[in-house]
Amino acid sequence: MRVTVNGDCSHWSPVWSGIPQGSVLGPLQFLIFVNDLPNWITTHIRMFADDTKIWTKITCSEDVDKLQKDLDNLSSWSTRWLLQFNPEKCVHVMMHVGHSDNTRYLLQQDGKKWELKSVTEERDLGVTTTSDLKVSRQCLNAVRKASKALGMVSRQFRNLDKASFLILYKGFIRPYLEYAIQAWSPYLKKDIEYLEKVQRRATKLVKGIGSMPYSKRLDELKLTTLEKRRLRGDFD
C-alpha cells in the first residue's frame, strides 16, 4: 500500500493484515474478515463493527476457567489472522454485574500477558452500564450533553419564536435526552426530574412564553413531558 496526497505518493509498504479505511467496500471486507471469530468462543459473544464483547455468568471456578479459555482463544485468533488487539484501548476492562469478583483475567498479545482491569461501569455505543444496573450515570451524561447544546443555542439565538425553537430543540437538544432511551429509560424520580429540567429550561427561551408555567409552555409549543414521550414510546 501507499498514500497519495495532491498527486505525490509515498513509497510502497507491505501490509500483512487489515482493511483500508475510507473505502466503500472496507466495512464489508472487515466484517467478512472477522466473521469466524464467534466460532472460537464457547461463552457469549456480541460483535458490532470492530467492537467485540464476551461474557458469561460466573458461579464457580469452572466458569472462570471457561472465560479465561475464551480470552486465550481470542489471542490465538488474533495471532493466526495477524489482527492484533490493543489491550490498552479495546479489551483492557472487565466489569462484574451483581457481585464482587477478585478473579484476574489475562489477555496475551505479542508474547506479553495483560491483566484486565476491573471497573464498576462501562460505556458501550453511547450507553453507560454500571455494576448496580442503575441508569443515573447515563442520565447524568445525557443531561450534560443536552445542557451543552442548550447553552450553545441560547448564546447564538436571543429571540426565538416557536417555530425556530422547535427546529433547534428537536434537532440539537432533545436527541441527547432520548438517545437509546429504550435501553436506559429512568425509573427513579430524581433521574426523571433531572432529565425533565433540561426541557423545562429550554422552553423558557421562546419569546413571549418564558414566564408561563411549564405545563402552559408545553401546551403553547404542542410538546409533552419527556416522561410521557417515553411512556408513549413503550406503548408503541
Side-chain angles (χ1 to χ4, degrees):
M1 295 180 63
R2 68 178 181 180
V3 177
T4 302
V5 179
N6 295 329
D8 295 326
C9 300
S10 66
H11 297 294
W12 287 100
S13 178
V15 177
W16 305 111
S17 67
I19 300 298
Q21 294 187 11
S23 64
V24 175
L25 291 178
L28 176 60
Q29 290 175 325
F30 180 80
L31 291 177
I32 294 174
F33 190 81
V34 302
N35 190 52
D36 69 321
L37 183 55
N39 298 332
W40 294 63
I41 303 302
T42 59
T43 56
H44 303 286
I45 182 172
R46 287 294 183 270
M47 303 171 64
F48 181 84
D50 62 345
D51 182 60
T52 300
K53 285 181 171 57
I54 64 172
W55 75 95
T56 190
K57 183 179 181 180
I58 303 296
T59 58
C60 59
S61 59
E62 286 77 9
D63 293 332
V64 173
D65 295 337
K66 193 175 182 179
L67 184 58
Q68 180 58 61
K69 178 63 176 177
D70 278 348
L71 290 172
D72 296 338
N73 290 340
L74 285 177
S75 299
S76 299
W77 180 91
S78 67
T79 300
R80 177 175 180 177
W81 296 116
L82 304 178
L83 186 63
Q84 296 293 302
F85 296 112
N86 187 333
E88 293 287 350
K89 296 173 61 177
C90 298
V91 287
H92 196 55
V93 294
M94 182 70 67
M95 183 173 64
H96 309 284
V97 176
H99 68 283
S100 60
D101 187 349
N102 297 322
T103 305
R104 296 172 57 194
Y105 296 97
L106 304 175
L107 180 69
Q108 184 168 322
Q109 292 283 267
D110 295 327
K112 299 179 180 179
K113 290 186 177 180
W114 300 79
E115 181 178 347
L116 302 186
K117 181 176 59 177
S118 180
V119 297
T120 58
E121 66 179 57
E122 173 69 357
R123 187 171 179 269
D124 185 28
L125 301 178
V127 177
T128 300
T129 303
T130 60
S131 57
D132 58 8
L133 296 182
K134 293 181 180 179
V135 298
S136 297
R137 174 62 65 177
Q138 176 65 24
C139 291
L140 175 62
N141 294 338
V143 167
R144 284 177 175 173
K145 293 178 180 178
S147 297
K148 185 176 180 179
L150 177 59
M152 179 190 68
V153 170
S154 64
R155 290 190 298 270
Q156 299 298 325
F157 302 91
R158 295 295 183 181
N159 295 301
L160 282 172
D161 56 30
K162 296 179 183 178
S164 298
F165 168 79
L166 290 174
I167 292 174
L168 293 169
Y169 177 67
K170 293 180 179 180
F172 297 100
I173 301 172
R174 193 170 67 185
Y176 286 119
L177 301 172
E178 297 183 333
Y179 171 76
I181 194 65
Q182 297 83 356
W184 59 273
S185 183
Y187 56 90
L188 295 178
K189 185 175 181 180
K190 68 180 184 67
D191 292 333
I192 294 173
E193 287 296 323
Y194 196 42
L195 291 175
E196 200 69 42
K197 284 181 180 180
V198 179
Q199 182 169 271
R200 191 186 302 271
R201 295 199 312 270
T203 54
K204 290 183 178 182
L205 297 179
V206 183
K207 182 173 61 177
I209 68 172
S211 59
M212 295 180 179
Y214 179 48
S215 59
K216 182 64 175 178
R217 297 199 300 271
L218 293 179
D219 292 339
E220 290 287 331
L221 295 168
K222 294 182 172 56
L223 295 174
T224 64
T225 64
L226 296 175
E227 184 178 12
K228 287 183 179 179
R229 278 179 56 83
R230 293 191 295 271
L231 182 60
R232 185 174 60 195
D234 289 341
F235 287 154
D236 293 339

